[in-house]
Amino acid sequence: MHPDKDASAGSGAPARPDGPLRSDARRNRERILAVALAELTRSADTPLSAIARKAGVGQGTFYRNFHHREALIVEIHRHEVRQVTDAAAHLLATRPPHRALREWTDRLTRFAMAEAGLTAALRTADGGSRGVRARLDHGPVRAAVALLLRTNEQAGTIRPGVTPDDFLLAVAGLWHLDPHGDWPTDARRLLDLVTDGLRVGAPGPATPSRED
């Protein structure tokens, strides 16, 4: 039997818990996802058994969570989407709107780098088809962008009328950065240009500085 397959490998969907996970099970799952992202970014062909070992979980625990490689990649993507989406609401609750938007773009950069790092693993899992890609939903990220833009427009800190599509087109360069290069510097320059541009024509009483 192939080390990355088991009797459940015919299922096309990742194993998802039917209810809330116990704290130890949740920690195991999150540790597997973190290790898998790092290892598959480093080498798309990393055996699942090696990921389980580095995550400190047994084979049974691993396969109960992820039946096969495709399920693991889809769940890494979903986990990253949840993280970047949840960050929008958290930042808006704890920062002024303009700071929440700028800090969120930094989190979006890490999401883009995670996706770039998984590209080779995705091709390997997909076998040249669009099976896995079709299950990668970016809708929640777009909804987070809409929330941030709406809040900032209401606060008068960005120009009116900017749509989520406008914003995502403006930051599309993030997905072209080299995850193995100096992407933090390149991303910072791009995002400063984008956020500075959003402030042009803002009706607020003052244009906030980047340090505010």
Side-chain angles (χ1 to χ4, degrees):
M1 179 180 292
H2 191 282
D4 286 358
K5 303 289 183 180
D6 71 352
S8 304
S11 170
R16 303 297 298 274
D18 294 328
L21 290 172
R22 298 193 320 271
S23 59
D24 57 339
R26 185 173 61 253
R27 285 193 297 270
N28 283 340
R29 189 178 181 86
E30 291 178 352
R31 188 162 60 250
I32 291 170
L33 291 171
V35 170
L37 175 59
E39 292 301 310
L40 292 175
T41 296
R42 184 182 60 80
S43 173
D45 297 323
T46 301
L48 299 190
S49 56
I51 293 173
R53 186 168 58 253
K54 290 196 175 185
V57 300
Q59 295 290 309
T61 296
F62 184 93
Y63 284 111
R64 276 196 301 274
N65 282 277
F66 310 105
H67 296 326
H68 44 71
R69 184 175 293 268
E70 292 91 335
L72 177 62
I73 291 173
V74 169
E75 191 58 25
I76 292 172
H77 173 83
R78 287 175 173 166
H79 180 72
E80 289 296 307
V81 166
R82 285 194 297 271
Q83 295 293 312
V84 75
T85 301
D86 290 349
H90 172 73
L91 287 168
L92 284 171
T94 58
R95 308 282 196 280
H98 66 280
R99 284 306 316 163
L101 176 61
R102 182 62 184 84
E103 290 185 28
W104 186 80
T105 60
D106 292 332
R107 183 62 186 83
L108 183 67
T109 301
R110 296 198 297 276
F111 172 70
M113 292 302 94
E115 288 206 316
L118 283 173
T119 296
L122 183 59
R123 283 197 300 265
T124 299
D126 239 358
S129 74
R130 291 182 55 82
V132 177
R133 289 179 179 84
R135 304 206 301 277
L136 304 185
D137 180 16
H138 290 82
V141 176
R142 191 180 186 282
V145 172
L147 174 62
L148 286 156
L149 293 178
R150 183 169 63 251
T151 304
N152 274 273
E153 184 171 336
Q154 291 169 350
T157 51
I158 63 171
R159 63 195 303 167
V162 180
T163 69
D165 287 341
D166 294 334
F167 178 86
L168 290 171
L169 283 171
V171 300
L174 293 176
W175 276 263
H176 296 280
L177 299 178
D178 180 1
H180 303 293
D182 186 19
W183 59 263
T185 298
D186 294 336
R188 191 177 307 112
R189 291 179 60 199
L190 170 64
L191 295 174
D192 283 345
L193 286 171
V194 171
T195 52
D196 285 351
L198 289 173
R199 293 172 185 152
V200 176
T207 301
S209 71
R210 293 174 190 164
E211 290 74 26
D212 286 348

